[in-house]
Amino acid sequence: MKPPYSASSYGLFLLLLFACKESNSIKVAEKSIEFNKEGLLMISQSGKEKTTSFDIEIADNPYERQTGLMYRNTLEVNQGMLFAFEQEAVLNFYMKNTPLALDLIFLNKELEIVHIHKNAIPNDPTGISSLKPAQYVFEIQAGLSDQYEIQEGDQITYQKLESK
């Protein structure tokens, strides 16, 4: 009686088995996402001659808005991300895959602060609403809106840097 499988079949099986084990040991190197300064944002505070400025990244297309600060491990105190939408609406954000605690500052089409959500919880998938129509959202380190006394009614201006 002939064996159901030849020696070469067993050899091929063992080769595939060991090849599969080798592929499991491959490690993927993680690359951190670095801040890329694309502009400058200034906050003029109501009733004060004080202005606070930040270096910003600008999320102004669907991919950048969807990704935002996800997977970022650092954001300096003078840095933030400005999300710009085509039109004003009640906006909803979440912190999924965002390991940083943030303050979310919602601005209307006139770039006036209409709502501040303070200390958003890292990696929390719960929705965060602008409560009022907004066209922009500015994200900074949690606690900075209190530290700099940023409040509803304050006005912002921003400028994009020239592309090189």
Side-chain angles (χ1 to χ4, degrees), residues 30-86:
E30 290 185 20
K31 184 178 177 185
S32 63
I33 302 170
E34 301 295 323
F35 182 83
N36 179 30
K37 182 177 177 179
E38 298 175 317
L40 183 66
L41 181 143
M42 286 78 54
I43 301 175
S44 300
Q45 298 179 275
S46 303
K48 300 177 184 173
E49 291 188 28
K50 183 178 172 185
T51 301
T52 305
S53 63
F54 293 88
D55 293 338
I56 57 170
E57 284 188 61
I58 302 169
D60 58 2
N61 67 53
Y63 175 77
E64 290 172 342
R65 288 191 296 258
Q66 183 177 5
T67 308
L69 291 171
M70 286 182 172
Y71 311 108
R72 303 283 183 107
N73 294 315
T74 60
L75 186 67
E76 302 298 324
V77 295
N78 67 326
Q79 297 174 336
M81 180 171 277
L82 180 67
F83 295 79
F85 293 85
E86 285 78 26

Side-chain angles (χ1 to χ4, degrees), residues 106-131:
F106 295 91
L107 306 126
N108 63 19
K109 63 184 175 186
E110 286 86 28
L111 297 170
E112 176 187 350
I113 297 173
V114 294
H115 176 65
I116 302 172
H117 181 93
K118 298 177 182 183
N119 298 307
I121 301 166
N123 299 307
D124 186 0
T126 306
I128 299 168
S129 173
S130 63
L131 303 179

Side-chain angles (χ1 to χ4, degrees), residues 12 58 60-61 91 96 105 111 127 130 135-136 155 162:
L12 182 58
I58 302 169
D60 58 2
N61 67 53
L91 300 176
K96 181 179 176 184
I105 301 170
L111 297 170
S130 63
Q135 191 166 346
Y136 301 88
Q155 197 76 34
E162 300 271 333

